[in-house]
Amino acid sequence: MLPQDFYIAYNIYSLNIFFRTWSQAVDDASKAAGDQIGDILLALDLPQTLRDELESSLQDLTQTVLSKLQLTLTSVQSNAENFLAFVTAGNFSESPPSLPGTTNDFMSALNTYITTLALTKSNTYVTMGKDTSVPDLVTNGTQLAYPINCSQGLDPQGVCDAWWRSDKYQSSFGLANRNTPNTAYGPIISKLFTSGFTTGELLFDNAYACHYPVGAAVDVNVTAAGVNTPCWSVIDVYAWDMACHADPAAADDEKADCEFEGSSKEPDFWEPSRSDSAARSVPNSYLGPAIAQNAFQISRA
């Protein structure tokens, strides 16, 4: 057999192993992720009644991925040009992908999808303080409008108080709920990470990359590297508007229709606080400009 013939034959063999491994990994990861839906809802403090809907969405996504894998394999096998382009982009002359490693990576993507879908269905979204490090706010002498529990810095998961800090974007991310804006999500975020359901990079960084300023649907794309999953964090991201109530003279301007960049304010934002009528109400994960204006009285409750 000529070297070129051996190269082609081995790539055909590796290609089939590649798609077989990925199909098995998707099937195994989907079953494992389905088994964890109840635990994810428990970590999120959400009702188990969401389980059926999440299971149905997971099954639909799994079937879409398996179908896309089969379609891609058929396209590669039936067309010499597609075959050469695909194997050239990959490393099919080397060892095939590990089934356990591929399964674990894909399960992390599916768990992130389930987590963010559950949050979205419960009217929860991501908040972002651009170019803001919460621990630095606590330690650099900034006069804060309310206390932040970050004096010990970030925990091992990169969380303190209500926020996770992104090294990639040098920003701080949190969660907020439209129905209960005073919900403290910091412990929930830490629990998600310590339980291994997702990571800050998968949940927050990927959500920002794909869902800001306009959200993107899940795009099932198969390449020579496998199933592409960066946009499987399906939760919306809103960045705090740093011009909104930045002027102490506007402290009582509850009619100003601002809160996030390019978006109208939520109904309770900057209204008199239920716990202190002299203070203005902000979400628990608030990192807008008023946090550094000690002329304001603002309340996270």
Side-chain angles (χ1 to χ4, degrees), residues 8 34 42 46 50 52 62 87 89 93 114 171 192 217-218 226 258 265 268 288:
I8 293 173
L42 191 63
L46 292 176
L50 280 172
D52 288 344
T62 300
V87 298
S93 297
I114 292 166
S171 299
L192 286 172
V218 171
C258 63
K265 78 180 188 74
D268 287 339

Side-chain angles (χ1 to χ4, degrees), residues 171-182:
S171 299
S172 295
F173 291 91
L175 295 170
N177 186 281
R178 290 183 170 86
N179 302 328
T180 56
N182 62 324

Side-chain angles (χ1 to χ4, degrees), residues 144-146 244-253 270 278-280 286 288-299:
L144 300 176
Y146 55 73
C244 180
H245 302 296
D247 181 359
D252 295 323
D253 187 8
W270 215 251
R280 297 297 169 183
Y286 178 74
I291 194 174
Q293 294 281 1
N294 58 10
F296 293 129
Q297 281 186 275
I298 57 178
S299 172

Side-chain angles (χ1 to χ4, degrees), residues 192-271:
L192 286 172
F193 296 169
T194 56
S195 299
F197 296 134
T198 188
T199 65
E201 290 78 10
L202 290 174
L203 196 162
F204 293 117
D205 282 352
N206 286 356
Y208 176 64
C210 301
H211 295 277
Y212 184 86
V214 178
V218 171
D219 180 23
V220 179
N221 185 31
V222 178
T223 69
V227 180
N228 193 24
T229 59
C231 287
W232 286 19
S233 179
V234 293
I235 190 168
D236 290 335
V237 178
Y238 296 89
W240 297 109
D241 182 351
M242 299 308 289
C244 180
H245 302 296
D247 181 359
D252 295 323
D253 187 8
E254 61 194 63
K255 296 181 181 179
D257 190 17
C258 63
E259 184 177 6
F260 301 109
E261 292 181 354
S263 176
S264 299
K265 78 180 188 74
E266 295 296 321
D268 287 339
F269 180 72
W270 215 251
E271 297 293 326

Side-chain angles (χ1 to χ4, degrees), residues 96-115:
S98 158
L99 178 58
T102 304
T103 301
N104 287 336
D105 290 345
F106 194 71
M107 189 168 71
S108 295
L110 288 179
N111 281 340
T112 299
Y113 170 75
I114 292 166
T115 297

Side-chain angles (χ1 to χ4, degrees), residues 44-64:
L44 293 172
D45 196 23
L46 292 176
Q48 294 292 323
T49 52
L50 280 172
R51 184 166 189 155
D52 288 344
E53 192 173 356
L54 295 174
E55 286 177 345
S56 178
S57 296
L58 174 62
Q59 291 169 3
D60 290 345
L61 179 58
T62 300
Q63 188 55 52
T64 298

